[in-house]
Every structure is written in structure tokens, then in C-alpha cells.
Amino acid sequence: MSDIHQIPADLVIHGGKVVTPETVLEASIAVRDGRIVAVGAADAMPAARETFDASGLHVLPGAIDVHVHFRDPGYTHKEDFESGTASAAFGGVTTVFDMPNTIPTVADGPALKAKHAIASAKAHVDYGLYAVLGEDTIEKVPELVEAGIVGFKCYMGNTFGRIPSPSTGAMLEAFEVVAPTGKRISLHAETNSIMERRQQRLVESGRRDPLAHLASRPAVVAVEAVARAAILAEWTGARIHILHISSAAELRPLAEAKARGVDITGETCPHYLMLGEDDYARCRGVIRVNPPVREKENQEPLWAALLDGTIDMIATDHAPHTPEEKTRADIWSVDCGFPGVESQMPLMLSEVAAGRYSISDYVRWSAANPAKVWGLYPRKGVIQAGADADFAFVDLDRAWTLHDADLHSRSKISPWDGRAVTGLPLHTMVRGRFVVKDRVLVAETRGFGRSVHAIQEMPAPQPKHADQTLAAVIALRPEEAA
Ligand code: DOR
Ligand code: ZN
């Protein structure tokens, strides 16, 4: 008899439909010490201290949202690590990657350590932390990697927090320095000089209406940035990830770079797939986000890119602000972004119900691919023996309505208020522990979340043109050699 039968499991889940990227199977799942020890027929499971009946529910790998802003420290009136991770748990999300545009900006070892202390005390779900890669932080790369990051964030364009965008020269040097670490660089790919100039002209012309925001950032802003970042990644061998892909036009430089063998990946968000320019009149400033929600013609190409693999994953850019900050009359003074970590799964499952794609496609984009791209697979992102027991238990048939007032984020204002959805995450489990059960937060799981940097295993780095990096050419001193 094998080992798994001799040592009892902590928990066996019976009766659920287990979703993998390939198929859906009726199976039981045994969990011990936070990890899955067996998936299979009920009578093949080890003895268990506890059982859980998941009849009628689909068991999905918990979603991995690689793009959230939990605002802690610095803007905790908008969100903090506790409210943000509670909101994630209610959305079936078991791992989040938090962005560095907090106060202080996560740009050196001490700031990163301070955020680790906050997150480990408050998080209900697992997390990774990003650090900024900017004009003046290149020399901090070693200490940031040492202090435990999941990846770097590079702001090619200005957005909330106004972190200055690096010059192309600084980006090249930064990519040269990050490439040998193997870490991935996530890009806010909007070219600052184009949109700053357009915004200035629009402000001068007197435009203050919500659609002026879209007019200030046409898709070329993103296309130019994606193409430029891909060239720098190709040259240096740095790994990159394109955040919040918003337009059909970005898909060409992304697909071309993939075809050339560049290690480049991409995400899109529900608002680019499901909202369009027609929604500005209804939502006004609430819809203001960077990059902007665009013309409806972009939606079908973005869906097609998810299905054909050009876009690798779904993320949310969860960007909470207060109602006052979102409803100012002048569009230029409205804060950008809105909460999304809790609504992503129901919105995307609604398209499963509508027949656009399968539930297996969905878990590929929400869990398996993010885990693969970020070096967490097969520890996370999949339901199989050896993986962490991170699950979303979902009623796929439940029709309900999203209401901002019901969000667990501190920010209760979004463009999704009143939207009908089908598919409800009923319980959420992180490493074998219920964090949400029957739509109630398990308060004691505050501080249970852990940083995933310790389990991250990126493939071996593949730096290129190492003999031509700034560091290499500065080290060359022909006059001394002569
Ligand atoms: O709209 C946005 N809001 N886009 C970003 O890139 C940043 C985010 C925020 O932090 O509020
Ligand atoms: Zn963001």
C-alpha cells in the first residue's frame, strides 16, 4: 500500500467537478499540510480527519491575479492589504501580485522589507511583491532581488502615483542589469511623451469630458511602447510581460516578438474585453483607467488573442479609489482605475455560461498560465498531486448581479455596478484552509497569506549581448591595457 494511504489526509473533498486546463473530471481531492496529495476516485482516497462535500460545485485552481494595487502603505483610505486580499478571496483569487506605486514607492530594500512586514501581517491570500525599475533605481536591483520580489515593474508612462518614466537609455541599461537575474519585468506600456503632449493640448483646448481621456491616449501610445520594449528585451535577453493590453493594434508587435523568440508574455483585463467607448457616457469618471477603455472594435481581437495564446492570461489591474476621487466633474482630476480583483471571475465565468469558451480555457488564463509565466508552476495554478491546495469552489449556474456596495474592497465604486453575471465563487481555500466559506470571510486567516517569492523558480537566465552592456564597456579600459 502506498504512503498516501497510511498517513491520513487533513481533508478530503468529495463530489466536486475538478477543472484542469485540459478537462473537467469528477474526482475527490486529498489535502495534507496544505498540499494536494491525491486526485482521483473517492474510494482511492486516504483516510481523512475531515471531509468536505463539494457536490454541485466546480473546483477550480484559485485564480492568480498578477496585477493588483493594494495601496498599503500610503493610501490605505483606498485599500489596505487586509481589505484587498479579502476582496481577492471573495473573487476566488488565491494569489495576487501587488504593484509598487505605494508610499514610499517600492524602489529599495528597506521599502520592500516594510511592505513584506505589512503584507505578512494582514494578507488572507498568498502574494508576490513588485519593485520599481526606474531611471534612478537600477543600482538597487541586487538588493531588491535579495529582499524577495516576484518581478519588476517599469512605468513607460505616467499613471497614478506619477512614478517618472525612464528614458529608453535607462530602460536598456535596466534590462541589461535585470536579464542575468532571470526575473521578469512587467511593463506599463504607454509611451509618456506621446500622451503627455496630447493631454496638454486637450487641456488647453478646454476639453474636460470623459472621452477626452481616451483621446489623450490613442492605441498608438501602447503600440509604440510594446514594440520598443520588445526590441530592448530581444537585445538584452530580459524577460518581459505586457500589462493590461487594451487594443487590437498591440497584438501585432506582441505576436511578432513571440515569433522571434523573445520571452514576452501579456495579460488583458475584463474591462478591455467587455467595456467600450459607449460606456463613458454612463460611467463618466468611474471608467477612467490607464490604459483607457477603447473603441468596441478592439474586443473581438482581444478575445481571439486569448484563445490563440497571443495573450497569455487574465489579470485585473485592481486599482481602488474612493467615490469622491472617481466622481470629480473635470475628467483630468479623476483618479485612474477601479476595483476588479473580486469581479474578474464572475465576469469571465459569465462568458463560459454564454458559450464563448470552456471552463478549461478559463483556468488556463486565470491560473495555469500565470503560474507558468511567473515560475510558480506546478506548485500553483493547477489541481494535481504536489500542488498547493488553492481552490475556488464555484457554482457555475448561479445567476446574480454585481453591486458595488457588496464589494469587500474598501473602494465601492466600479463600472460593473448592476451587471448581471452567471457563476459564483462560493468558497475559497488557500493552502488547505478555507479563507471564504459560504460567502463569509474566515477572519482568523488574516496574516495567513505568504509571499510566493520563496517558491518561485524562473528558468535559467539567458542574457544576450553581455559583452556590450554598459557595465561591460565601462569595465573595458583600452588606454590602461595599452
Ligand atoms: O488606471 C490605472 N490605475 N492604471 C495604472 O496603471 C495604475 C492604477 C493605479 O495605481 O491607480
Ligand atoms: Zn496597474
Side-chain angles (χ1 to χ4, degrees), residues 419-462:
R419 181 140 180 143
V421 289
T422 303
L424 179 74
L426 205 57
H427 325 289
T428 301
M429 176 170 279
V430 176
R431 286 179 282 106
R433 203 160 160 194
F434 281 106
V435 173
V436 166
K437 198 168 184 191
D438 294 312
R439 299 293 294 165
V440 176
L441 183 70
V442 179
E444 306 78 58
T445 60
R446 181 185 195 271
F448 179 66
R450 273 195 216 149
S451 177
V452 297
H453 76 270
I455 60 167
Q456 186 185 41
E457 282 182 43
M458 297 298 282
Q462 298 199 306

Side-chain angles (χ1 to χ4, degrees), residues 178 193 233 295 396 419 466:
V178 174
S193 58
E295 300 77 6
L396 275 190
R419 181 140 180 143

Side-chain angles (χ1 to χ4, degrees), residues 270-294:
H271 44 281
Y272 302 119
L273 294 163
M274 302 180 200
L275 299 176
E277 84 276 37
D278 297 350
D279 293 293
Y280 280 74
R282 172 179 62 88
C283 300
R284 300 199 57 80
V286 177
I287 204 173
R288 189 182 190 209
V289 60
N290 298 322
V293 166
R294 300 189 183 283

Side-chain angles (χ1 to χ4, degrees), residues 67-69 99 101 153 155 159 188 243-244 290 317-319:
H67 188 167
V68 304
H69 299 261
M99 287 295 173
N101 56 336
K153 169 77 175 275
Y155 286 90
T159 184
H188 184 111
L243 299 162
H244 42 46
N290 298 322
D317 195 7
H318 175 87

